[in-house]
Every structure is written in C-alpha cells, then in structure tokens.
Amino acid sequence: MENKKENIIDKYLNTKKKKIIAGCLAGVMVIGCAGAVILNTSSSKELMLASDEVKAEFGQRVSTNVADYLDANKSGDVDKIIKDTKEKDNLKYVTVTNKDENGNVVSKEEKDYPKVGNYEISFTYKKEKATVKVTVKDTTKPEIEAPESIDVIQYTDLSTLNFGELLKATDYSDVKDWKIDTSKVDVNTIGSYELKVSIQDKYKNKATKKLTVNVVEAPAVAKGEVAVTEVVTDENGNKKTVVTKKSSAEVSKNDAVASTSPVSNKGTVNSSSSASATKPTTNSGTSKPSGNNTSSSNSSNSSSSSKGDEHKHNYNIPITKTVHHDAVTKTVHHDAVTRQETYTVVDKEAYDEPVYETHVVCKVCGQDFGKGEAASDQAGIHSAEFGHSYHSTKVQVGTKHHDAVTHQETKTVTVTPAYDETVIVKQAYDETVITGYKCSCGATK
C-alpha cells in the first residue's frame, strides 16, 4: 500500500516537474520573442527614398544629391544620412565642341545634363543601399526662329533660295535638313503667299512654322546685271531677304537669281540646316559692242557738169559726233562687322545654410550642455541641483556657405551694320567719234 502511495506521489511530482519545465520554456520563448522584436526594431531601415525613379527631359540636369531623394518623414537622422551617404552613378554627360568661324575646334565643353538613355544612381548609408532609376528622353521639338515675312523676286526658283541661312533652329539634339513646303507659293504671279517650313531632330520631334512670302517685281537691270534675292543680317542680328541687282561676277552663294520667264515650283525643297546653299548659275562671258561699220555703198553725188570740166572727189574731211559714256559703277555689299561677347548668368544666388547639432538643453534656464554622454551627465547634475528639467533639441552651431551657381553665355554684338556701297569703276566721259568723211564739194561717204 505504501509503495502504491509513493508511486502516485512520484507520478504527481513528475507531472508537476514537466509543467514547471514547460513554464520555464514558455518564459524563455516570451523573452526571446521580445528580444526579437527589439532587435527588429533596432535594425529598421533609416535610408528611405520618396521615389526610386526619375524621368528627365533631355537638357535637364539630374541631381545626384541624396537630400533631393530622401523621404524625411520615414528616414532616420536626415542630417546624418545626408552627411554620411555615399553616391555612385553611371550618368554620361553631353560634350559640346566649340568651333570658330573657320570651323576649327577651339574648345570642348562638358554640359551638366546627361545624354538620352537609362541610368542608375546608387546611395549607400552604413549597410543600407537604395537605387534610383533615371530615364532621359528627348520629347521636345526644336524651336524655330524665322522672319514673319520675306520678299522674293518674281520668277525666282525657290530651290535656289538659301533657306538654311535665313532660318534658325535651336534644339539640344542634332537636327536634320529643313523641309520647305512651297506648294502654295506662285512665284510667277506678284502677290503674298503662305510658306510652311519644318525641321525634325534625331528623335523625330518635329517643329513647323508658317511665314509669308511676298513675290515682288524684279528691279530694272542693265546689261551684265541680274536681279537677285539676297539673305542679309540687319543691325539687330536678324536675318532677312533683300531684293536687289548685281553684276554677274558679284553673285554669291547666298543669292537666288531670278529668271526672266516663268518657273515651276517643286512643292517641297530641302535646305541644309548648316546654312549651305547651291551656288547660282552665272552668265559665261561678256558681250562687247562691235566696231564702226563702213557702208559698202558709197554716195557718189558727183555730177558731170561738162565732159571737159569733170570734178574728182577728195574725201579728206572727217565727219564727227560726240558720244557720251555714262560712268560704270557697281554695288559692293559690306557684311556687318560683329564680335562675340561672353557674360556670366547667375542660375542660383549664393546663400548660407545653417548647420545644426542635437544638444542637451535646460528647459528652464536654457543652459546648453553640448552633445554626447558627457552633456547628459552634466544636465543630470544640473537638474538634481536646481530641479530643472532638460531635453534634446537642435542647436545651430554654424553655417555652411554655398557659392552662386553660374554659367557663361555668349551673344553677337554688331560693331558696324551691313551696308551697300556704289563704287565707280570707270568715270563718265565724252568721246569724239568719226562717223564718215566728206569732200570739199559737200559729197559724203
């Protein structure tokens, strides 16, 4: 009986032991879970971006500063993250080659905007890493600068007009040739018509502009001269057409020579965007006036008064007249004299940025104990002595100076405006010309 009771007691004690062990294990598990929660909380991400994607238009700058991407509400100590974050990217920037008037390379300049393409910007803070995907596209059409209207001489083949010199296109990308729609222009009839010009860049962004073409009567020309439509630059640097006349030898590649009879338009004309044009055809050779002609039938007004008294003519008296020759002139065109001026443009003014640190400060008397553990200890002593409470707050400890952001631009300044000068090639003069001879009797030949 006693053995049976001992077995029952042992069984009870063993069961209790198991429960005690189970309770202990459960307690350990609870403590472990709490530790895991604390561990997970302490290892939460501090580097949080507001966006991980950037879409930029070609020509725009792309920031590589982590401060421009941080989500301040979700990130940790923003100032520390900005200070300690390392940045790496594969952005490829545009390089522009500057040339002089003769086409020689004078400098190469790297712009502050990336090429069209896909890139990545990586930020690393401690053991955290965040990546921003950057997409740069060109969806902007070129900007066209053109006169509102141009004058063209009647019977001018528009395919010979230097539209590339007359028009200007501005675009970050390379542009193709100009397309000139002349289908609505009747160059054979004097009047005003609509002309449409268009240009497209390498990414197929197309721009169009309409301007008025005034077909005007050709000026009167002398022998050896032609009527031309010339592209010139006025005193303000604007391109325009001038209807004038020139000798054949003076015609340049920028002149469109008018015909003397109707011509047909081709509908669409291509013109180089680099201001190239076809050189007009000029007359080959110059016709010269022929010499004085002598009549083959001489006047023989001799009268035989009598057989014995016959007069024999002696044509030794010259017959003359005065011929006036006008002065020979030519018009010489002088291009405008210009120069390039460089000036500085301020994109962003200089400024001072305050720099803050987190200090321990007394809430009552405002005493600043500095930062770190030593500051907390001093604040505790101060609190114990005076009964003041304290807290951690941001205190300005200095400033960081940011220089102004600038860039250089150039502009064309006209020193002397373009002008036309009439030059005398040969002075006017009077010439005495022999037109025949006469006899003393009055007979002429």
Side-chain angles (χ1 to χ4, degrees):
M1 189 70 177
E2 273 181 18
N3 291 336
K4 189 174 183 181
K5 286 181 180 179
E6 287 176 1
N7 290 336
I8 294 171
I9 292 170
D10 288 339
K11 183 178 180 182
Y12 173 79
L13 289 174
N14 287 337
T15 304
K16 188 130 185 170
K17 189 189 248 187
K18 290 178 182 177
K19 286 183 179 178
I20 292 170
I21 294 171
C24 292
L25 289 173
V28 172
M29 289 178 68
V30 169
I31 294 170
C33 290
V37 171
I38 294 169
L39 182 62
N40 288 338
T41 303
S42 64
S43 63
S44 61
K45 290 191 67 176
E46 296 182 272
L47 178 63
M48 299 293 290
L49 303 185
S51 175
D52 60 355
E53 185 178 19
V54 172
K55 293 182 179 180
E57 182 67 17
F58 186 42
Q60 291 180 336
R61 295 173 61 188
V62 175
S63 174
T64 56
N65 189 344
V66 69
D68 295 328
Y69 298 90
L70 277 178
D71 188 336
N73 296 323
K74 297 180 180 179
S75 297
D77 188 338
V78 173
D79 292 341
K80 183 173 177 56
I81 293 173
I82 293 174
K83 179 182 177 182
D84 297 339
T85 296
K86 296 180 180 179
E87 180 272 340
K88 186 177 181 181
D89 63 75
N90 60 348
L91 296 173
K92 295 180 181 179
Y93 293 91
V94 173
T95 300
V96 175
T97 302
N98 300 314
K99 298 181 179 180
D100 59 18
E101 296 178 354
N102 299 320
N104 300 316
V105 176
V106 294
S107 65
K108 289 187 177 181
E109 176 185 8
E110 184 176 87
K111 295 295 183 179
D112 59 355
Y113 52 87
K115 300 177 181 179
V116 172
N118 298 316
Y119 308 95
E120 286 188 352
I121 302 174
S122 298
F123 299 111
T124 304
Y125 175 69
K126 296 181 179 177
K127 294 183 179 180
E128 296 179 35
K129 185 175 181 180
T131 302
V132 177
K133 293 183 178 180
V134 179
T135 304
V136 181
K137 292 183 178 181
D138 186 355
T139 63
T140 304
K141 61 185 179 181
E143 291 183 6
I144 297 177
E145 184 178 333
E148 294 297 324
S149 65
I150 60 174
D151 293 339
V152 175
I153 299 174
Q154 187 182 21
Y155 305 141
T156 297
D157 183 354
L158 293 181
S159 65
T160 65
L161 186 64
N162 194 354
F163 285 100
E165 180 73 15
L166 190 65
L167 306 171
K168 182 180 178 181
T170 304
D171 194 272
Y172 283 103
S173 300
D174 294 333
V175 294
K176 299 181 180 180
D177 287 346
W178 291 96
K179 300 291 183 182
I180 317 297
D181 183 3
T182 64
S183 59
K184 294 184 179 180
V185 181
D186 182 3
V187 293
N188 301 315
T189 305
I190 294 174
S192 296
Y193 304 90
E194 182 185 275
L195 181 86
K196 185 170 74 173
V197 300
S198 62
I199 196 165
Q200 180 174 288
D201 65 22
K202 65 182 292 186
Y203 296 103
K204 298 183 179 180
N205 299 305
K206 184 179 180 181
T208 60
K209 188 176 182 66
K210 293 179 180 179
L211 54 147
T212 302
V213 175
N214 302 312
V215 179
V216 300
E217 186 177 4
V221 295
K223 197 168 188 178
E225 291 182 332
V226 291
V228 299
T229 301
E230 182 182 13
V231 178
V232 299
T233 306
D234 64 17
E235 61 273 12
N236 298 320
N238 300 317
K239 298 288 185 179
K240 64 178 183 179
T241 58
V242 174
V243 173
T244 185
K245 55 184 178 180
K246 292 183 177 182
S247 68
S248 299
E250 291 180 306
V251 175
S252 72
K253 66 178 182 180
N254 292 332
D255 302 328
V257 181
S259 175
T260 56
S261 58
V263 296
S264 60
N265 284 340
K266 297 180 179 179
T268 300
V269 175
N270 292 339
S271 186
S272 172
S273 58
S274 59
S276 61
T278 304
K279 187 174 181 180
T281 304
T282 57
N283 294 334
S284 56
T286 304
S287 58
K288 298 180 180 180
S290 59
N292 293 329
N293 291 326
T294 303
S295 175
S296 59
S297 57
N298 295 334
S299 300
S300 128
N301 293 332
S302 58
S303 56
S304 301
S305 55
S306 63
K307 189 176 182 178
D309 189 20
E310 188 177 23
H311 176 69
K312 188 174 182 180
H313 298 291
N314 185 10
Y315 298 102
N316 59 356
I317 303 172
I319 302 171
T320 63
K321 70 174 183 179
T322 301
V323 178
H324 177 73
H325 297 271
D326 292 330
V328 178
T329 62
K330 69 175 182 179
T331 301
V332 178
H333 177 73
H334 298 270
D335 292 332
V337 178
T338 62
R339 70 170 184 267
Q340 298 292 316
E341 288 188 356
T342 302
Y343 61 99
T344 301
V345 177
V346 178
D347 301 312
K348 188 176 182 180
E349 297 289 346
Y351 67 96
D352 291 329
E353 178 187 5
V355 178
Y356 294 94
E357 287 182 354
T358 301
H359 286 192
V360 178
V361 178
C362 179
K363 290 184 177 181
V364 180
C365 63
Q367 182 174 347
D368 188 345
F369 298 99
K371 61 181 180 178
E373 294 182 2
S376 299
D377 294 341
Q378 292 179 14
I381 296 171
H382 179 80
S383 177
E385 181 179 356
F386 297 100
H388 295 174
S389 61
Y390 58 93
H391 65 157
S392 295
T393 185
K394 289 186 177 181
V395 177
Q396 183 176 349
V397 296
T399 58
K400 180 180 180 181
H401 180 71
H402 296 268
D403 293 332
V405 179
T406 64
H407 71 274
Q408 300 293 312
E409 292 187 4
T410 59
K411 63 179 179 180
T412 302
V413 178
T414 301
V415 179
T416 305
Y419 65 96
D420 292 331
E421 177 186 12
T422 301
V423 178
I424 298 177
V425 179
K426 190 175 183 180
Q427 297 288 346
Y429 65 98
D430 292 331
E431 178 184 13
T432 300
V433 180
I434 297 175
T435 59
Y437 294 89
K438 68 180 179 179
C439 179
S440 58
C441 69
T444 60
K445 71 170 184 180

